[in-house]
Amino acid sequence: MLPVHTEVKPNPLQDANLCSRLFFCWLNPLFKTGHKRRLEEDDMFSVLPEDRSKHLGEELQGYWDKEVLRAKKDARKPSLTKAIIKCYWKSYLLLGIFTLIEESTRVVQPIFLGKIIEYFEKYDPDDSVALHTAYGYAALLSVCTLFLAILHHLYFYHVQCAGMKLRVAMCHMIYRKALRLSNTAMGKTTTGQIVNLLSNDVNKFDQVTIFLHFLWAGPLQAIAVTVLLWMEIGISCLAGMAVLVILLPLQSCIGKLFSSLRSKTAAFTDARIRTMNEVITGMRIIKMYAWETSFADLITSLRKKEISKILGSSYLRGMNMASFFIANKVILFVTFTTYVLLDNEITASHVFVAMTLYGAVRLTVTLFFPSAIEKVSETVISIRRIKNFLLLDELPQHKAQEPCDGKAIVHVQDFTAFWDKALDTPTLQGLSFTARPGELLTVVGPVGAGKSSLLSAVLGELPPTSGLVSVHGRIAYVSQQPWVFSGTVRSNILFGKKYEKERYEKVIKACALKKDLQLLEDGDLTVIGDRGATLSGGQKARVNLARAVYQDADIYLLDDPLSAVDAEVGKHLFQLCICQTLHEKVTILVTHQLQFLKAASHILILKDGQMVQKGTYTEFLKSGVDFGSLLKKESEEAEHSSASGTPTLRKRTFSESSIWSQQSSRPSLKDGAPEGQDTENAQAAQPEESRSEGKVGFKAYKNYFTAGASWFFIIFLILLNMAAQVFYVLQDWWLSYWANKQGALNTTKNGNGNVTETLDLNWYLGIYAGLTAITVLFGIARSLLVFYVLVNASQTLHNRMFESILKAPVLFFDRNPIGRILNRFSKDIGHMDDLLPLTFLDFIQMLLLVVSVIAVAAAVIPWIIIPLVPLAIIFLFLRRYFLETSRDVKRLESTTRSPVFSHLSSSLQGLWTIRSYRAEERFQELFDAHQDLHSEAWFLFLTTSRWFAVRLDAICAIFVIVVAFGSLILAKTLDAGQVGLALSYALTLMGMFQWSVRQSAEVENMMISVERVIEYTDLEKEAPWEYQKRPPPGWPHEGVIVFDNMNFTYSLDGPLVLKHLTALIKSREKVGIVGRTGAGKSSLISALFRLSEPEGKIWIDKILTTEIGLHDLRKKMSIIPQEPVLFTGTMRKNLDPFNEHTDEELWNALEEVQLKEAIEDLPGKMDTELAESGSNFSVGQRQLVCLARAILKKNRILIIDEATANVDPRTDELIQQKIREKFAQCTVLTIAHRLNTIIDSDKIMVLDSGRLKEYDEPYVLLQNPESLFYKMVQQLGKGEAAALTETAKQVYFRRNYPDITLTSPVVMNPSNGQPSALTIFETAL
């Protein structure tokens, strides 16, 4: 466990003075650093002591515990909300006062504005008193503006901090709870759900605290504004308010519609990403089967559905954005139309005071108040979900009992238990056994017999329904799926214990890790990625074992640690580690490897949760028990039905098929020769995920827009945007013009006393109405069109990217982890569908508004441009300066967030291990350390954005002040209307300007997603799927394969995996391919399928494989892959994606592989949707489905990449027998891991480090004690070797000398004999 750094920079906020706190000056050094170089984690300030995860979490936990107890007393349900309120109400109330002050300032501001405009209306050059009061009002206006600029950000910072505290405390509680969940509770929730609580639900707290105070401030402000407006323009203000009130339910309606569309979209998106995930995971298989087009259609149809929903929700969003943009105009229009029709005269002061007041209240009422309601309701739901999680059952915290009288012992009596009470059959039933020190108790039984459950009972994870388990002594547990957490290999083994060199070396040696660690670059200090990405399956299993051995506990529970390693290493582990190192301990070993049973002190045989027999090996031999048959089932069905319900099966996924499979696709890790090197580097050489530094190029924008529409359309859109903005300003200008005309009339009236002139109301009102209507129309049109173009672009780019992924060579998928490719399809495309169009439109609207504000001000007071220039320069400099740092801070925030999640999910995976070692405290501390690191980044994220916003608003405030005083100085030349227009516009700049700048940064950040997607639209392609030259329809007739001096490498610069391979495989020959891990067995198949282009020649029936299209080649060879892959969809789609076969043929194929009953029992027969990647079938059944696919294809060449590591012997036998029957007339290549499956082949190919070492009949090879094959057979032990040699002999004589009958005890299965005469005399090509 790596300690998260201890020496950190102290937080400068602790001793910053008031001025520095107001303007966030204490951040300046950080910005300087960010300007010079990239920020790293060490540049972050340490967390304030009151923000530490441990402190916050324990505080809230205390309140929650009290609440739970109180609820028990009052016999009610505990309420998490109460606990939160009790914990935080004081500090949060204080912030409420802030809100009050800020909002009242907002309301007062327009009054001062009105006074200034009044001065212009009654302008009298000689009245110096009026001028001085006007200056006073201008000063007051400036003070208000500055005050708002500073206060707003200080308030926001503190509110967000409150949100952060609440979130951190919640996370601490959720993690603490996760470590204590009982298994019944784990059944009710999933890892995904807990991670979801931690990633989505707690984020609501960050947002809710910002808006919460507006729940009371909003209505209050609305009332205050209404009163002021009434004083200003009388009853007609109600008309405007009515529009506001009507807008509210309208917006909430749109919101409701939107969220229902959202959830539908989410369902489609989930389906698309799930399918995508399968496509990428199973890419190798899809390529070998040549099924790309079928999946392309599937994804395209899913995406079409998704996009139609996204377009719908985008249009709604567009309407919402437009309504936001237009609301002001409509309100003003309604108010003043009413005002004029009630025979009032328009004056500039009335117009602009009303405009500014509406502006103030509109934000609160249409934005903050609804957001507050929405966020509060979301948070209530989240709190309920978190509360339900916090109330799940916990495991009773039992202390480990010390060994009584110094002896450790495990004693189980009449133990019965259920994983799931709903099932009628218990998982374990009536078990009794005792294990004492120095004894090795082995547990065997078929898949799903309850072997792992037995261990969990001893661990205390499976609570007994009846009976008792007494365990004395400390437990060390090795799980079946090896669990490693991210950290160094050494920290994984030490697991919190002190490092003692001698003991450590001994453990490493016993667990056969010495050689592996030498091969890793940094030895045992190599950092393992999430879920052990750098280690192979077998290495993980051994690290797991080493961890247990190093703990030096009294009782060892080993859940099948030998399956994941090959025979040689397994033997080493068993003899050195289990029999020697642990010989004084109590050891319970679950295993499938029957060859180790001799050494056991006791053997326990389980079947369907009951103990069939118990005794020693010799007793069993005497009673004549056949171990092989014990591991079989009466029928596969029984296994399925008895096991499918029990979580044990869920806990055990068979992904670690064997080291072989993990590494066979790449050269060996064990060869120690220079070749051993390239394996890790081939993986390590994968490029760091490219992260664009600095600016997003213009090219990205160009590609993005042109993907959405033609140039003509884009230019039209730009013009439309401009027109909409021009009309927006014209409408206000018309009002001010009208007010000026009216004012001019009034002055002449007073002068002459002749009352003939009145303004033509209809003319002014008509134009006003026309302008309003045009503004509304243009506003709506532009936002809908922008959404249309951008969503379209996202669709086009997704299709291009998907097409390019399908045609990428397999190497691409080996080099890039699934997550990285999936990320493009989920997160980046998600951004482009959803956030980018919205942000973009927002940015365009804001930008145009800002431009129009400045244009209006400049038109009124031309010399205003003079102070504008330096302000603009300062602004541009600030923006660049800020973005340099903020990008890094954002990056740090997201990189420090992921360890929090990965720590949680890896802890959940290793939950039993953590508990069995009693390491919960340590993991909790680690979680808090990860949280604190994230809080450091989050703290910077909050403060840096406030630093920037304060400075921007200061620039705007200066602009307002300049306009206010400038207009007073130039009072002679100006009309009241112009001043009103300029000033009220300048005031709207305040929040808007910094918002538009923030949005511009957002757009730039999201364009990175576009860049990443575009980057994937032109990947290197593999050879075309079809050439002009098509092979003849019946090809290959014979199935003769010739390798002629072939070299093979996975990448152009990579090492050769196969060297100068020359071999002839005759028609209908059965060839076994053997060799140790990484000898190039799987590469041979990759070369045949051209997963990467081989050098040299491969002929199949006189056609060069490189001269025909990939699909033509791949469709003609069947493969049964190592890891059986089923895809989500129906069984029919899985067998026959192109609908080429009749139902009858499909059923026949299923019957051949004995799956017919299993499928007929499903509700929809063959049209039942399978669970994700077929997880509702056992691995054995999935393997059989793959066999059925091969039977359906009826090809002349069959390749079996044998995956017998996790298939029980019976299924294995069935597969072998089917292959002999159905494919007698085909050429069959088998990559073998168990020699007994290929000992009866016609020929055996022995590969070693990429070269063909031996190629002959098995018996011939066994005659030569020097041959590699001979050595391999001998490694299996004497008895096994003798049996194999005997079989080989039988086959050899039956094939070559059929008349001689050998008398021998071994009876061969008659179907193994091949048609013999053909094979001998057939000559080479």
Side-chain angles (χ1 to χ4, degrees):
M1 303 252 134
L2 304 167
V4 188
H5 32 252
T6 38
E7 26 54 60
V8 261
K9 292 183 155 185
N11 199 323
L13 180 61
Q14 279 167 300
D15 30 54
N17 57 23
L18 180 69
C19 180
S20 169
R21 279 175 187 232
L22 281 183
F23 290 102
F24 295 95
C25 299
W26 49 272
L27 275 170
N28 292 345
L30 181 86
F31 278 100
K32 281 201 188 96
T33 319
H35 178 63
K36 285 194 201 106
R37 61 178 170 80
R38 252 174 69 171
L39 289 180
E40 298 304 333
E41 282 184 16
D42 310 340
D43 297 317
M44 302 198 296
F45 306 130
S46 66
V47 183
L48 294 172
E50 66 267 26
D51 289 345
R52 289 205 170 279
S53 170
K54 187 167 191 253
H55 161 78
L56 290 171
E58 283 167 0
E59 183 183 23
L60 187 56
Q61 183 74 45
Y63 282 103
W64 168 240
D65 292 341
K66 276 184 212 147
E67 168 64 27
V68 172
L69 287 174
R70 207 174 289 120
K72 256 209 189 97
K73 251 193 228 139
D74 312 347
R76 62 182 169 83
K77 281 192 176 151
S79 151
L80 183 56
T81 321
K82 272 188 188 167
I84 293 174
I85 291 171
K86 281 206 176 95
C87 189
Y88 291 111
W89 69 274
K90 286 188 189 125
S91 54
Y92 197 62
L93 196 68
L94 205 67
L95 294 173
I97 298 165
F98 259 112
T99 318
L100 192 64
I101 298 172
E102 187 186 341
E103 293 308 318
S104 15
T105 316
R106 277 236 163 93
V107 173
V108 176
Q109 215 179 1
I111 297 174
F112 300 140
L113 175 75
K115 297 287 184 203
I116 294 176
I117 299 174
E118 254 168 44
Y119 165 75
F120 280 93
E121 286 180 329
K122 305 198 174 73
Y123 179 63
D124 177 7
D126 313 328
D127 190 352
S128 62
V129 182
L131 183 64
H132 290 145
T133 38
Y135 273 125
Y137 282 128
L140 275 174
L141 184 71
S142 311
V143 169
C144 269
T145 314
L146 279 172
F147 182 65
L148 269 180
I150 294 167
L151 189 75
H152 179 71
H153 299 295
L154 213 60
Y155 161 71
F156 244 69
Y157 161 64
H158 282 293
V159 182
Q160 283 177 306
C161 265
M164 174 179 88
K165 284 181 181 168
L166 183 52
R167 184 195 66 217
V168 169
M170 273 299 172
C171 290
H172 175 97
M173 283 169 68
I174 290 172
Y175 184 75
R176 180 172 171 275
K177 181 73 185 187
L179 286 184
R180 301 180 179 197
L181 285 183
S182 71
N183 276 299
T184 36
M186 276 304 278
K188 287 181 196 148
T189 165
T190 58
T191 311
Q193 206 171 345
I194 301 174
V195 173
N196 200 9
L197 286 180
L198 213 52
S199 58
N200 290 341
D201 287 331
V202 287
N203 287 353
K204 303 284 188 291
F205 296 119
D206 273 328
Q207 298 160 347
V208 73
T209 48
I210 300 176
F211 294 116
L212 198 55
H213 281 312
F214 285 106
L215 280 180
W216 57 266
L220 259 180
Q221 196 191 22
I223 291 165
V225 167
T226 315
V227 170
L228 285 174
L229 275 172
W230 187 283
M231 286 155 60
E232 194 69 34
I233 53 176
I235 196 153
S236 39
C237 73
L238 293 181
M241 278 309 190
V243 176
L244 250 187
V245 174
I246 292 167
L247 271 179
L248 263 183
L250 199 78
Q251 273 189 323
S252 67
C253 265
I254 290 187
K256 286 239 167 46
L257 256 173
F258 178 68
S259 59
S260 76
L261 268 173
R262 224 25 253 158
S263 56
K264 281 181 193 150
T265 317
F268 286 129
T269 311
D270 285 352
R272 172 176 63 86
I273 289 171
R274 199 177 56 230
T275 318
M276 237 6 262
N277 185 12
E278 282 179 13
V279 171
I280 296 167
T281 321
M283 202 61 195
R284 207 181 200 93
I285 305 294
I286 293 178
K287 284 191 176 302
M288 285 182 172
Y289 285 146
W291 280 5
E292 291 101 334
T293 39
S294 144
F295 282 98
D297 297 342
L298 184 61
I299 296 270
T300 315
S301 71
L302 283 169
R303 179 74 179 152
K304 273 216 181 81
K305 287 180 193 155
E306 183 192 4
I307 277 286
S308 66
K309 290 273 175 289
I310 285 176
L311 258 180
S313 55
S314 295
Y315 286 155
L316 279 177
R317 268 192 161 154
M319 291 297 294
N320 224 353
M321 296 279 300
S323 75
F324 209 80
F325 174 72
I326 297 158
N328 248 349
K329 303 289 149 198
V330 178
I331 292 170
L332 278 179
F333 173 69
V334 172
T335 307
F336 282 109
T337 309
T338 323
Y339 184 67
V340 171
L341 292 179
L342 290 174
D343 283 344
N344 294 313
E345 285 187 349
I346 272 189
T347 66
S349 58
H350 288 167
V351 170
F352 293 110
V353 170
M355 197 188 276
T356 325
L357 277 173
Y358 276 133
V361 75
R362 186 186 62 113
L363 262 186
T364 317
V365 173
T366 59
L367 188 68
F368 294 149
F369 186 66
S371 300
I373 292 175
E374 185 188 346
K375 296 287 183 250
V376 167
S377 60
E378 277 178 8
T379 311
V380 168
I381 293 171
S382 286
I383 288 183
R384 189 181 315 133
R385 287 177 49 163
I386 294 173
K387 184 194 77 179
N388 291 342
F389 175 71
L390 291 178
L391 289 174
L392 289 173
D393 310 344
E394 294 188 10
L395 264 194
Q397 295 285 324
H398 46 222
K399 288 281 159 272
Q401 294 157 311
E402 280 315 299
C404 48
D405 57 35
K407 284 270 186 172
I409 188 167
V410 174
H411 176 67
V412 175
Q413 186 129 26
D414 299 330
F415 182 87
T416 303
F418 297 85
W419 274 122
D420 186 355
K421 295 284 191 297
L423 295 171
D424 0 331
T425 49
T427 314
L428 293 173
Q429 197 170 355
L431 277 189
S432 305
F433 64 87
T434 309
R436 294 184 179 77
E439 289 188 346
L440 170 61
L441 170 74
T442 47
V443 183
V444 291
V447 175
K451 303 185 291 292
S452 302
S453 309
L454 180 139
L455 294 187
S456 45
V458 178
L459 280 176
E461 295 280 348
L462 177 60
T465 323
S466 63
L468 106 155
V469 178
S470 71
V471 179
H472 295 280
R474 296 198 326 278
I475 295 182
Y477 166 71
V478 176
S479 51
Q480 184 176 21
Q481 279 194 294
W483 173 71
V484 286
F485 50 85
S486 39
T488 58
V489 178
R490 180 181 294 183
S491 65
N492 260 293
I493 295 174
L494 298 182
F495 208 60
K497 282 262 192 291
K498 268 219 316 288
Y499 174 65
E500 296 168 27
K501 193 162 171 36
E502 216 166 293
R503 176 162 132 218
Y504 182 74
E505 292 292 327
K506 227 165 79 187
V507 170
I508 292 284
K509 201 166 164 205
C511 295
L513 276 168
K514 206 162 181 139
K515 195 156 182 198
D516 297 272
L517 291 183
Q518 283 163 4
L519 286 177
L520 289 172
E521 263 170 54
D522 306 330
D524 60 353
L525 295 179
T526 306
V527 176
I528 309 177
D530 272 355
R531 299 198 290 291
T534 35
L535 297 184
S536 71
Q539 288 169 321
K540 277 188 263 189
R542 290 183 308 225
V543 167
N544 242 18
L545 190 57
R547 176 190 305 150
V549 178
Y550 192 81
Q551 290 292 315
D552 196 26
D554 309 307
I555 300 163
Y556 279 83
L557 308 177
L558 311 177
D559 197 347
D560 205 5
L562 304 172
S563 278
V565 297
D566 53 57
E568 200 180 339
V569 179
K571 203 163 154 189
H572 173 106
L573 289 181
F574 186 75
Q575 286 164 357
L576 280 185
C577 182
I578 296 172
C579 296
Q580 277 181 28
T581 319
L582 302 180
H583 72 100
E584 295 158 5
K585 316 281 190 193
V586 180
T587 311
I588 302 179
L589 170 73
V590 168
T591 185
H592 284 179
Q593 324 297 80
L594 304 179
Q595 62 266 35
F596 298 133
L597 293 183
K598 297 191 193 67
S601 346
H602 290 285
I603 298 169
L604 187 74
I605 298 178
L606 283 184
K607 193 161 191 180
D608 297 335
Q610 293 165 347
M611 190 161 70
V612 187
Q613 269 165 315
K614 174 170 171 251
T616 60
Y617 188 73
T618 40
E619 286 171 21
F620 278 160
L621 281 189
K622 279 188 192 123
S623 60
V625 177
D626 168 17
F627 287 108
S629 65
L630 279 167
L631 292 188
K632 292 183 194 166
K633 306 287 297 187
E634 292 81 43
S635 75
E636 281 291 315
E637 274 320 289
E639 168 193 345
H640 197 54
S641 55
S642 71
S644 59
T646 60
T648 38
L649 222 124
R650 232 203 355 245
K651 300 240 163 31
R652 174 193 305 128
T653 41
F654 302 82
S655 54
E656 256 68 60
S657 54
S658 65
I659 319 203
W660 304 82
S661 72
Q662 293 288 328
Q663 300 172 348
S664 52
S665 57
R666 7 185 254 242
S668 159
L669 278 184
K670 299 207 191 87
D671 290 345
E675 280 172 48
Q677 240 11 73
D678 47 55
T679 61
E680 281 311 313
N681 299 356
Q683 295 298 312
Q686 54 179 352
E688 246 284 290
E689 172 146 20
S690 50
R691 202 185 41 237
S692 346
E693 289 285 318
K695 291 260 191 262
V696 178
F698 168 72
K699 207 165 149 213
Y701 288 97
K702 193 191 90 176
N703 288 341
Y704 180 44
F705 288 124
T706 45
S710 58
W711 273 116
F712 171 74
F713 197 82
I714 292 168
I715 289 164
F716 169 69
L717 197 61
I718 293 170
L719 292 175
L720 180 73
N721 267 303
M722 288 173 174
Q725 194 56 50
V726 168
F727 282 111
Y728 182 93
V729 176
L730 268 181
Q731 192 217 19
D732 290 335
W733 176 82
W734 185 254
L735 262 184
S736 81
Y737 172 73
W738 185 355
N740 282 343
K741 281 274 176 271
Q742 186 72 52
L745 267 184
N746 294 351
T747 36
T748 51
K749 239 187 239 171
N750 302 346
N752 309 357
N754 107 10
V755 203
T756 49
E757 287 191 61
T758 52
L759 286 179
D760 178 3
L761 252 193
N762 296 344
W763 156 248
Y764 281 99
L765 250 187
I767 291 227
Y768 186 38
L771 283 174
T772 308
I774 293 176
T775 308
V776 170
L777 272 176
F778 274 36
I780 292 177
R782 107 169 142 188
S783 54
L784 294 190
L785 282 177
V786 168
F787 270 112
Y788 170 75
V789 170
L790 297 189
V791 171
N792 216 1
S794 157
Q795 162 73 323
T796 317
L797 286 176
H798 171 273
N799 291 350
R800 281 191 209 157
M801 170 162 79
F802 183 57
E803 235 166 72
S804 128
I805 285 277
L806 274 186
K807 294 200 162 136
V810 170
L811 176 74
F812 173 79
F813 298 93
D814 291 344
R815 282 220 168 143
N816 294 299
I818 295 175
R820 183 181 300 175
I821 304 173
L822 247 192
N823 222 346
R824 299 278 200 286
F825 281 98
S826 52
K827 192 162 148 266
D828 294 329
I829 289 282
H831 273 167
M832 287 165 60
D833 286 345
D834 197 45
L835 294 169
L836 186 58
L838 187 71
T839 322
F840 216 98
L841 181 63
D842 203 11
F843 166 61
I844 292 173
Q845 289 194 1
M846 290 298 173
L847 180 72
L848 288 170
L849 275 173
V850 171
V851 170
S852 55
V853 168
I854 293 170
V856 165
V860 175
I861 316 173
W863 58 258
I864 207 166
I865 294 171
I866 301 166
L868 260 182
V869 174
L871 281 182
I873 291 170
I874 293 174
F875 154 67
L876 285 172
F877 169 74
L878 262 182
R879 179 174 185 271
R880 245 194 53 225
Y881 194 61
F882 165 72
L883 284 182
E884 284 172 337
T885 306
S886 105
R887 240 186 235 119
D888 285 346
V889 169
K890 247 195 164 148
R891 189 193 79 238
L892 284 174
E893 194 267 325
S894 58
T895 48
T896 50
R897 180 191 287 158
S898 45
V900 178
F901 298 144
S902 50
H903 181 73
L904 171 77
S905 59
S906 90
S907 307
L908 285 171
Q909 276 164 352
L911 198 53
W912 292 10
T913 312
I914 293 173
R915 286 190 208 153
S916 65
Y917 292 119
R918 308 251 171 274
E920 294 101 331
E921 274 299 297
R922 226 180 63 248
F923 271 76
Q924 181 74 58
E925 277 164 27
L926 225 103
F927 180 75
D928 287 338
H930 285 312
Q931 279 251 74
D932 287 340
L933 193 64
H934 179 237
S935 295
E936 290 176 16
W938 184 252
F939 174 77
L940 282 189
F941 174 64
L942 295 184
T943 48
T944 47
S945 52
R946 290 297 134 208
W947 177 92
F948 185 47
V950 160
R951 278 155 182 69
L952 283 191
D953 273 355
I955 290 181
C956 296
I958 293 170
F959 180 68
V960 171
I961 295 168
V962 169
V963 174
F965 283 102
S967 53
L968 283 176
I969 294 167
L970 295 182
K972 286 192 196 62
T973 57
L974 298 176
D975 297 339
Q978 290 173 321
V979 175
L981 193 60
L983 259 180
S984 61
Y985 264 34
L987 283 179
T988 57
L989 256 191
M990 284 299 295
M992 190 173 70
F993 182 56
Q994 56 120 355
W995 179 247
S996 66
V997 175
R998 297 264 287 286
Q999 288 299 65
S1000 79
E1002 271 302 290
V1003 166
E1004 218 170 282
N1005 277 339
M1006 284 188 198
M1007 282 305 290
I1008 291 176
S1009 284
V1010 176
E1011 254 188 355
R1012 289 167 42 134
V1013 168
I1014 290 176
E1015 178 194 351
Y1016 267 28
T1017 52
D1018 45 350
L1019 299 169
E1020 56 168 326
K1021 295 185 169 55
E1022 53 181 6
W1025 289 343
E1026 264 123 22
Y1027 273 125
Q1028 293 309 139
K1029 178 174 178 182
R1030 307 290 296 262
W1035 175 85
H1037 286 296
E1038 302 294 321
V1040 178
I1041 304 174
V1042 182
F1043 294 101
D1044 182 6
N1045 194 7
M1046 181 198 66
N1047 294 331
F1048 183 70
T1049 135
Y1050 279 105
S1051 61
L1052 294 173
D1053 44 0
L1056 286 178
V1057 205
L1058 293 173
K1059 300 166 196 139
H1060 306 298
L1061 188 101
T1062 302
L1064 156 73
I1065 297 167
K1066 299 177 194 148
S1067 177
R1068 298 198 276 287
E1069 215 167 26
K1070 311 290 178 272
V1071 179
I1073 306 174
V1074 294
R1076 46 186 314 175
T1077 309
K1081 301 186 296 290
S1082 296
S1083 309
L1084 188 65
I1085 286 175
S1086 302
L1088 255 183
F1089 276 98
R1090 284 174 59 201
L1091 293 182
S1092 175
E1093 296 295 323
E1095 299 167 32
K1097 298 184 176 139
I1098 304 177
W1099 306 78
I1100 297 182
D1101 276 10
K1102 304 185 183 165
I1103 287 194
L1104 251 181
T1105 56
T1106 39
E1107 286 182 353
I1108 53 176
L1110 290 181
H1111 276 192
D1112 286 333
L1113 170 68
R1114 291 171 182 171
K1115 279 187 171 141
K1116 296 299 183 192
M1117 294 187 283
S1118 308
I1119 181 160
I1120 300 179
Q1122 196 165 25
E1123 301 210 343
V1125 180
L1126 292 190
F1127 298 101
T1128 312
T1130 59
M1131 194 68 203
R1132 170 175 285 125
K1133 266 263 183 255
N1134 261 299
L1135 286 172
D1136 177 27
F1138 296 109
N1139 296 333
E1140 293 166 346
H1141 303 278
T1142 61
D1143 265 20
E1144 193 181 355
E1145 290 177 292
L1146 296 181
W1147 282 116
N1148 287 346
L1150 287 173
E1151 195 170 8
E1152 293 280 356
V1153 295
Q1154 303 186 359
L1155 277 178
K1156 193 171 174 184
E1157 293 93 61
I1159 307 280
E1160 278 183 327
D1161 292 348
L1162 294 174
K1165 304 252 191 321
M1166 264 198 300
D1167 294 320
T1168 317
E1169 287 283 328
L1170 301 186
E1172 187 160 351
S1173 57
S1175 47
N1176 44 1
F1177 284 106
S1178 74
V1179 171
Q1181 288 170 312
R1182 280 186 250 168
Q1183 197 68 58
L1184 292 172
V1185 173
C1186 290
L1187 180 59
R1189 283 178 192 156
I1191 291 178
L1192 275 174
K1193 274 180 126 173
K1194 297 195 178 63
N1195 282 334
R1196 268 312 165 93
I1197 298 176
L1198 171 69
I1199 294 159
I1200 302 162
D1201 195 346
E1202 190 179 67
T1204 39
N1206 31 11
V1207 178
D1208 56 322
R1210 195 187 143 277
T1211 316
D1212 193 23
E1213 208 169 285
L1214 173 75
I1215 292 178
Q1216 292 303 327
Q1217 180 203 342
K1218 275 295 155 215
I1219 288 168
R1220 291 191 185 106
E1221 272 177 36
K1222 298 297 294 182
F1223 299 107
Q1225 296 305 310
C1226 305
T1227 307
V1228 182
L1229 304 181
T1230 310
I1231 291 189
H1233 301 293
R1234 295 181 183 173
L1235 296 178
N1236 58 341
T1237 54
I1238 54 141
I1239 198 74
D1240 57 342
S1241 308
D1242 300 339
K1243 288 271 185 74
I1244 295 229
M1245 232 185 230
V1246 184
L1247 293 174
D1248 189 47
S1249 60
R1251 295 180 185 281
L1252 178 60
K1253 294 287 189 193
E1254 295 158 15
Y1255 181 40
D1256 212 331
E1257 298 191 35
Y1259 184 61
V1260 178
L1261 290 178
L1262 285 175
Q1263 295 310 303
N1264 170 10
E1266 287 302 297
S1267 74
L1268 287 169
F1269 188 60
Y1270 178 80
K1271 289 177 188 153
M1272 284 174 137
V1273 172
Q1274 293 310 315
Q1275 270 172 10
L1276 296 173
K1278 280 215 172 62
E1280 179 84 341
L1284 283 179
T1285 312
E1286 188 52 54
T1287 312
K1289 188 172 169 184
Q1290 292 278 333
V1291 176
Y1292 178 71
F1293 279 106
R1294 186 160 352 106
R1295 186 171 296 136
N1296 296 344
Y1297 311 106
D1299 352 332
I1300 307 176
T1301 46
L1302 286 168
T1303 46
S1304 132
V1306 182
V1307 179
M1308 279 301 296
N1309 179 349
S1311 71
N1312 295 357
Q1314 302 298 344
S1316 49
L1318 289 172
T1319 41
I1320 312 167
F1321 303 113
E1322 210 174 298
T1323 48
L1325 274 176

